[in-house]
């Protein structure tokens, strides 16, 4: 049992990692993929191979059929993601001439299931039936089976998902969520003509539901009826201006019409709410240069990362008397900063050594290799792409531009340097001037007096005047500059930490956090006033001891964790990095499946929305809608590359476990939020990039 679960986990994880790589566009690239897959299969132990064979899974990678051309490959992986389908007269003519009612709906669902049965390949139909029966026999209701189907869909098994969703609709034909998901799956699976009667029926029941309107618009778009599609999508964007899929499709329509400016506007609206590489590429294709502000901040930043704001400087003196009184606190402050900085340097050492070792290994690997050999080695490397890397890189790049955090920090440093430089230039002359003005002249005729000599000066008088000059001219201005400097430095560190958590692996990010702590301490230690005690102690006794205690840093963890619970497995996403968790208690020998090896089942693009508000209290007005103010939950946008974005939705605050979720713009107020969803889920169809074998007839 344990080995079985391990094998299923390994196979599915391999599917996810593979899905996140660039789609092959030529026969050579497909052959390379097949070769890499076979190399991985060859590494399995005999016991593992035997177990896979018992599960009905081949240990030989499928070969590419003869006669396949590069054009066939491009069509198989979805063609141009930015193209507008030609009008499909055959499918338009095949739209069922029926107006559904509650009475006729069950028979139509049956006809759709018959269509699916005939269209699916034998193995896909067998696996779909096997999965459906497993959940049915384990007392899962229709809604739960529908959610499980979405789980298969999101992992790249559209045929199984279609079969299960159709059966779930038969079990509960009155569930609007199931019917909406079924229609979206049919549309994206290659049968939009079959989905239209169902969507029109739902649209009459819920006329303002943006999910249904979008799915209906996408179905017409897949059929090449762009005017009908645009009419429905216009209703969607009027209800929610930043609807990701509606804006995306309208961009393609506007591009086809030659309206470049309008196409850019639509794609920017789509990108503002939900990120995907396709949207970035489309805007580049349209000639628009992406800015960090065009992309939604994935999750609300921690307002006080590492507890930087917990560090309080000692009171700042405003006079010479204050300076003597507070000097012990400042001495203690700087001593503790030095001690803590030294400890951080020790903590950073193992990470630096590991980085140096990795660099050495990389050098040995690439040393004496030709450029062609190096490129070949790079192409063979498999590296999972973080979904928010592009957003992070763009925002980090803009930090040093005019107005960015790095730029603002440089300006504050320049102000401080200017004040210090001015002080250095004028200090000596000012001291001599004060000494001369405070000289004690002889009161009687002496040889010294005749020569114009003075009798010296009173140190305390000079000290007082010098301090007054220093605080009025420099220290007070420096203190304001220091405050601004620390504020800007804090903003810069906070922003860098926020974006780097989406780019770096766990060990590297730990080292980044340690380095940030050292930088913060160094900045704090460099903000002491300029001492004016040049002429001795002329005030009451100094404070000899200090009770000052430097704060400690807080731990900083990933600010956002989301979990979509599909029972069979959980998709867990933490700051853009996704992994899958399996519950061995839910997997046994009665449940197994394998992917379609015909090469015809292809993954499609879409969005999953899940609500964490109970259906009975979430208005109940049809399927979940993106941006609907009465809903709250989370969504997931995916494509053939895998998961592309995860975002919070809704304007109502709800409880998920012990955390709170809110904010309709897709950000989370609580930086430690962990959303777990296993309730209502809605598929929101997007640009179709593939179809299920046997559909579209």
């Amino acid at each position: 049992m344990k080995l079985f679960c391990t094998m299923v986990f390994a196979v599915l994880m391999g599917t996810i990692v593979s899905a996140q790589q660039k789609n092959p566009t030529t026969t050579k690239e497909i052959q390379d993929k097949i070769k890499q897959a076979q190399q991985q299969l060859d590494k399995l132990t005999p016991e593992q191979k035997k177990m896979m064979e018992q599960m009905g899974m081949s240990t030989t990678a499928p070969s590419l059929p003869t006669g396949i051309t590069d054009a066939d490959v491009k069509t198989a992986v979805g063609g141009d993601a930015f193209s507008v389908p030609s009008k499909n007269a055959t499918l338009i003519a095949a739209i069922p001439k029926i107006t559904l009612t509650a009475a006729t709906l069950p028979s139509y669902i049956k006809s759709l299931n018959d269509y699916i049965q005939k269209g699916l390949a034998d193995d896909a139909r067998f696996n779909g039936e096997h999965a459906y029966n497993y959940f049915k026999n384990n007392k899962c209701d229709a809604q739960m089976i529908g959610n499980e189907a979405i789980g298969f869909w999101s992992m790249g098994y559209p045929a199984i998902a279609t079969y299960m969703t159709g059966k779930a609709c038969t079990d509960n034909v009155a569930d609007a969520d199931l019917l909406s998901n079924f229609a979206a799956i049919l549309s994206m699976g290659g049968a939009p003509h079959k989905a239209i009667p169902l969507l029109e029926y739902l649209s009459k029941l819920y006329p303002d539901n943006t999910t249904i309107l979008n799915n209906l618009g996408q179905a017409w778009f897949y059929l090449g009826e762009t005017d009908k599609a645009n009419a429905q999508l216009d209703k969607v964007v009027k209800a929610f201006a930043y609807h990701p899929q509606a804006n995306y499709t309208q961009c393609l329509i506007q591009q086809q019409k030659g309206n470049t400016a309008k196409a850019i506007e639509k794609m920017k609206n789509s990108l503002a709410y939900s990120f995907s590489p396709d949207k970035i590429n489309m805007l580049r294709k349209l000639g628009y240069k992406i800015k960090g502000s065009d992309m939604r901040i994935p999750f609300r930043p921690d307002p006080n990362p590492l507890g930087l704001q917990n560090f309080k400087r000692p009171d700042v003196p405003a006079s010479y008397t204050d300076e003597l009184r507070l000097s012990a606190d400042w001495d203690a402050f700087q001593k503790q900063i030095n001690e803590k900085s030294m400890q951080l340097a020790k903590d950073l050492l193992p990470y630096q050594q590991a980085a140096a070792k990795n660099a050495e290994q990389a050098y040995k690997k690439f040393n004496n290799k030709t450029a062609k050999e190096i490129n070949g080695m790079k192409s063979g490397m498999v590296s999972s792409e973080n979904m928010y890397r592009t957003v992070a890189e763009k925002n980090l790049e803009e930090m040093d531009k005019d107005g960015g955090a790095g730029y603002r920090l440089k300006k504050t440093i320049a102000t401080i340097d200017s004040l210090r430089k001015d002080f250095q230039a004028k200090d000596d002359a000012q001291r001599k001037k004060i000494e001369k003005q405070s000289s004690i002249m002889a009161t009687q005729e002496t040889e010294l007096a005749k020569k114009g000599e003075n009798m010296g000066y009173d140190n305390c008088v000079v000290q007082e005047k010098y301090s007054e000059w220093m605080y009025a001219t420099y220290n007070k201005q420096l203190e304001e500059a220091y405050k601004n400097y620390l504020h800007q430095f804090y903003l810069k560190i906070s922003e860098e930490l926020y974006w780097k958590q989406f780019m770096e692996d766990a060990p590297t990010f730990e080292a980044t956090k340690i380095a940030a702590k050292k930088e913060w301490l160094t900045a704090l230690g460099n903000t002491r006033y300029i001492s004016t005690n040049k002429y001795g102690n002329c005030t009451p006794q100094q404070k000899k001891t200090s009770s000052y205690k430097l704060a400690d840093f807080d731990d900083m963890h990933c600010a956002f964790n989301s979990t979509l619970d599909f029972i069979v497995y959980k998709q867990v996403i933490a700051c853009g990095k996704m992994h899958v968790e399996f519950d061995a208690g839910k997997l046994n020998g009665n449940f197994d499946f394998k992917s379609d090896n015909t090469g015809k089942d292809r993954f499609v693009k879409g969005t999953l929305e899940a609500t964490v508000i109970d259906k009975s209290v979430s208005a109940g007005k049809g399927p979940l809608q993106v941006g609907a103010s009465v809903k709250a939950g989370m969504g997931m946008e995916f494509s053939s590359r895998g998961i592309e974005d995860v975002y919070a939705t809704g304007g109502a605050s709800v409880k998920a476990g012990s955390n709170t979720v809110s904010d309709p713009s897709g950000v989370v107020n609580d930086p430690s939020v962990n959303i777990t969803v296993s309730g209502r889920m809605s598929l929101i169809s997007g640009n179709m990039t593939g179809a299920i074998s046997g559909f579209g007839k």
Side-chain angles (χ1 to χ4, degrees), residues 312-325:
K312 304 298 181 185
R313 298 158 68 224
D315 291 339
V316 178
S319 66
Y320 178 62
T321 302
D322 287 346
E323 184 181 323
L324 294 180
R325 178 174 57 83

Side-chain angles (χ1 to χ4, degrees), residues 4 7-8 50-57 592-593:
F4 172 79
M7 285 302 301
V8 173
K50 183 177 180 181
M51 181 62 71
M52 287 186 67
E53 290 167 357
Q54 290 175 346
M55 294 164 57
M57 302 174 75
D592 59 275
F593 60 88

